[in-house]
Amino acid sequence: MAEKYIARSSAIAARMLGGEMMVMSTTDSTFFTLNEVATVIWQAADGRTPLSEIVANKICQEFDVDQECAQRGADRFVDELSRHGIVLVSEHPLINSSTLLESR
Amino acid sequence: MTTATAAELASEAVPIEIGGMTIALRTHDPSFRQQIAGRYAGFLGNMRFAHLEFDVDLYEPSEPPPTDNGLKVKFKEGGWQLQRGDFRARWNPNIRRGYIRQANNPYACDSLLRIVHTLILAKQGGFLVHAASAIRGGKAFIFSGVSGAGKTTISRLAPPDTTLLTDEISYVRREGDQYLAFGTPFAGELAKVGENRSAPIGGFFLLEKGLENSIEPVNPAEGIQRLLRNILFFADDPALVELVFQSACDFAGSVPIQRLVFFPDQRVWDLVR
């Protein structure tokens, strides 16, 4: 299965408040609240780190979950956010990802 | 060729102060000036403090209106462009001057003023929101909800020691570390213009009708999402959408957002202090 690289879109606004990460698309105003696991993936979405590595090194380490289960959840999460343009997904590193990431 | 003096120009302007910000509408038509001066009687300001001035050009109803009835607000060529069936407007924020061509009725003014205030407020951490608001005990309380949620009802039930700021569109401005609510002339079903006063905001309530009165906590995400749904915003502009989102988050971090379940009688106001 091909590797996934994910990067946060620049067309979003995000804020951590009350322990929850809130994300809104600035193009269609879709609003998401991310849980703890999703927040970790979101924060690690730098366009250069493979999703599998984020799952192995961050999700499995921090949340005591097996890799297969965590990978399925991460894939679903990334698919949903990508449908709304919240994250960009590629089979290759997103070289210009620094321009895609918001500054916050 | 004649040139109007500053005094003559000033005499043709009607300065309307809402939320502490004065927007002047200048027109050669004395009857229209009289009309809008009456419409905004409690909100007339001083030309010396005008934040923005619009020259207003009127057209009679016999003139065909623009074909596009949908509201369009966009930033283009250094200025805001506003367009609806009954008006077109341009406004350059740098020189604080603008031009409006509108149908000869006062209703377009309400819409234009609301749009202009939302655009200015967005850059200042404030917003207009679909909500009733009132001052009680030196604090302002905001009651937000969609049509039918009870904005007019709760305004109608307000006891005599409250000052109604609006039953329809509340005005929120950030000043330093606090948020203030201001009265607006934008009335809803109550058809009563709010008082031109302001106070620090003591609470923001999401209205919900029920069988008894209670105040319930709302988690930050729901509070922000509900607040965002009710904030007036017109421009199709991602940068401004982000500003509004950040403003809503800042507001929610500073002002308690709670759910006010209420049975429609005066006892609900016992909870609002």
Side-chain angles (χ1 to χ4, degrees):
Chain A
M1 191 171 170
E3 189 55 88
K4 283 182 185 171
Y5 294 85
I6 56 173
R8 301 188 294 272
S9 164
S10 61
I12 49 93
R15 178 78 75 91
M16 180 76 93
L17 196 68
E20 291 182 295
M21 177 67 79
M22 279 156 281
V23 181
M24 190 171 83
S25 162
T26 57
T27 51
D28 65 6
S29 298
T30 313
F31 185 94
F32 293 89
T33 305
L34 308 187
N35 64 23
E36 279 184 278
V37 176
T39 298
V40 169
I41 296 172
W42 166 263
Q43 289 173 328
D46 60 6
R48 296 181 290 272
T49 309
L51 181 59
S52 61
E53 194 175 312
I54 294 171
V55 169
N57 294 345
K58 293 190 178 291
I59 305 300
C60 294
Q61 301 289 325
E62 292 184 28
F63 298 97
D64 191 24
V65 60
D66 73 78
Q67 181 145 4
E68 191 180 335
C69 178
Q71 186 68 51
R72 280 199 304 272
D75 285 335
R76 282 198 301 271
F77 166 70
V78 166
D79 287 347
E80 183 177 358
L81 289 195
S82 70
R83 279 199 298 274
H84 291 278
I86 302 287
V87 296
L88 305 178
V89 184
S90 171
E91 292 182 1
H92 308 285
L94 292 149
I95 295 167
N96 295 320
S97 61
S98 60
T99 62
L100 302 169
L101 303 182
E102 61 167 357
S103 56
R104 254 177 306 283
Chain B
M1 179 179 161
T2 59
T3 305
T5 65
E8 286 169 338
L9 284 174
S11 72
E12 294 190 333
V14 181
I16 301 165
E17 182 195 338
I18 303 169
M21 182 162 27
T22 301
I23 295 176
L25 303 179
R26 177 178 290 114
T27 170
H28 299 307
D29 186 324
S31 64
F32 190 73
R33 283 202 299 274
Q34 193 175 8
Q35 206 175 20
I36 55 177
R39 165 76 184 82
Y40 301 104
F43 292 84
L44 296 180
N46 189 315
M47 273 304 293
R48 282 183 300 171
F49 305 117
H51 181 87
L52 177 60
E53 293 180 39
F54 280 103
D55 289 311
V56 181
D57 185 18
L58 302 168
Y59 66 80
E60 293 305 319
S62 58
E63 184 176 333
T67 54
D68 186 358
N69 288 319
L71 174 64
K72 290 181 180 173
V73 179
K74 60 185 175 184
F75 193 81
K76 191 176 177 184
E77 296 167 358
W80 285 104
Q81 298 183 2
L82 290 53
Q83 181 182 334
R84 203 177 70 176
D86 52 350
F87 63 72
R88 290 170 186 265
R90 292 195 309 270
W91 154 43
N92 184 328
N94 293 325
I95 61 171
R96 298 183 172 189
R97 293 293 299 267
Y99 168 80
I100 298 169
R101 179 164 171 76
Q102 67 159 84
N104 190 356
N105 71 58
Y107 308 114
C109 285
D110 256 24
S111 297
L112 278 162
L113 287 173
R114 285 200 291 260
I115 296 165
V116 171
H117 276 280
T118 64
L119 296 173
I120 294 173
L121 278 174
K123 301 211 169 189
Q124 300 175 349
F127 48 82
L128 297 186
V129 57
H130 285 289
S133 48
I135 300 174
R136 191 177 202 201
K139 288 185 178 175
F141 297 93
I142 299 181
F143 308 92
S144 183
V146 295
S147 182
K151 299 190 293 292
T152 302
T153 305
I154 204 149
S155 302
R156 192 177 282 126
L157 294 170
D161 66 345
T162 60
T163 301
L164 183 67
L165 297 175
T166 174
D167 74 324
E168 182 68 12
I169 305 288
S170 290
Y171 196 112
V172 174
R173 173 190 286 284
R174 183 176 192 163
E175 287 193 5
D177 291 336
Q178 66 177 356
Y179 286 89
L180 303 179
F182 290 78
T184 75
F186 309 126
E189 289 176 38
L190 208 57
K192 183 182 173 187
V193 170
E195 295 287 332
N196 191 4
R197 291 180 54 188
S198 66
I201 299 174
F204 187 100
F205 297 109
L206 304 170
L207 286 179
E208 195 172 302
K209 288 177 181 167
L211 295 177
E212 51 189 40
N213 301 317
S214 65
I215 291 177
E216 301 170 357
V218 173
N219 73 47
E222 182 187 354
I224 290 169
Q225 194 167 12
R226 297 275 299 272
L227 174 60
L228 283 166
R229 272 187 215 152
N230 288 319
I231 288 178
L232 276 70
F233 196 71
F234 306 98
D236 183 17
D237 183 305
L240 275 181
V241 172
E242 172 156 7
L243 283 177
V244 171
F245 172 82
Q246 299 299 350
S247 295
C249 291
D250 289 340
F251 181 83
S254 175
V255 175
I257 298 180
Q258 298 166 297
R259 181 179 292 106
L260 176 60
V261 181
F262 77 105
F263 182 80
D265 70 25
Q266 287 184 333
R267 287 173 298 177
V268 61
W269 278 91
D270 293 342
L271 299 178
V272 181
R273 293 180 183 279

